[in-house]
Amino acid sequence: MRWRYDETTKALRISVTPVAWNGEDWDFEAAKGLRADGFWIARPWTSNERCPSSVVQASPSGTEPVTLPGQTLAIAQFTADTSGGLSRDGRPFEIVKRVSPDAFDASLGFRLRITGRVDRDYGPVRCIQPAGVEQRPICVISTRIDEIRIENPATDELLANWPIR
């Protein structure tokens, strides 16, 4: 998700581009013609909808945090239709909205809300470990997405929504 606010034009621009995968990316045996469109989940280890405050937590000595590169959890809609999905013919989900500077509040960023249900057609959760068992699994939650929304968590305002066919 990318966003930009221009005070001179009072325009808020938000753009969300789904990631497109094919079946081989998720190690499906019968992957020919299978595709998935979805989004990486930025912080899958927390259930909090807001960014955590930067409070240093106490920990035993010798346990420095390990930051691993790359994404580890995605949510996606799988389909055998190579022309469908969320890709919208390569166009991102975008909004441009006029917002006065005194009403603009991006202190908590913006929220991408995906509604739908877990899908069992391709298995509800699929995990791969391309570098072997020593690698943390990279997983995808298979879904049937009904709607994608962009919200402002500071004001709980719905900024845009797209029903998915």
Side-chain angles (χ1 to χ4, degrees):
M1 178 185 301
R2 294 187 172 136
W3 66 271
R4 179 172 49 104
Y5 181 68
D6 186 343
E7 285 189 37
T8 57
T9 62
K10 301 176 185 167
L12 171 62
R13 297 175 187 277
I14 302 175
S15 178
V16 179
T17 304
V19 179
W21 297 279
N22 60 41
E24 291 97 9
D25 293 334
W26 294 105
D27 198 26
F28 279 99
E29 290 179 22
K32 188 168 180 99
L34 188 63
R35 74 175 274 151
D37 294 299
F39 306 94
W40 288 108
I41 298 174
R43 288 179 304 279
W45 59 86
T46 181
S47 61
N48 194 346
E49 291 188 9
R50 297 191 170 142
C51 293
S53 59
S54 60
V55 176
V56 177
Q57 295 179 331
S59 64
S61 62
T63 57
E64 288 74 29
V66 176
T67 304
L68 299 174
Q71 301 287 358
T72 59
L73 183 63
I75 184 166
Q77 179 167 292
F78 285 86
T79 179
D81 178 12
T82 58
S83 63
L86 304 177
S87 67
R88 302 177 41 168
D89 297 325
R91 294 177 304 143
F93 296 93
E94 290 184 307
I95 66 162
V96 178
K97 185 172 182 165
R98 297 237 181 261
V99 180
S100 65
D102 58 322
F104 179 69
D105 185 356
S107 61
L108 299 175
F110 296 97
R111 178 186 309 138
L112 179 68
R113 185 176 301 271
I114 302 167
T115 60
R117 65 186 188 285
V118 174
D119 186 25
R120 293 178 178 240
D121 289 349
Y122 301 103
V125 177
R126 180 97 177 159
C127 294
I128 58 172
Q129 291 173 290
V133 295
E134 297 300 319
Q135 179 187 14
R136 181 188 305 189
I138 302 168
C139 300
V140 62
I141 301 168
S142 179
T143 61
R144 288 288 157 208
I145 297 174
D146 296 326
E147 182 182 48
I148 294 176
R149 303 166 61 123
I150 297 176
E151 302 170 348
N152 185 336
T155 62
D156 287 327
E157 178 186 5
L158 172 65
L159 300 172
N161 70 315
W162 296 269
I164 304 300
R165 55 181 155 81

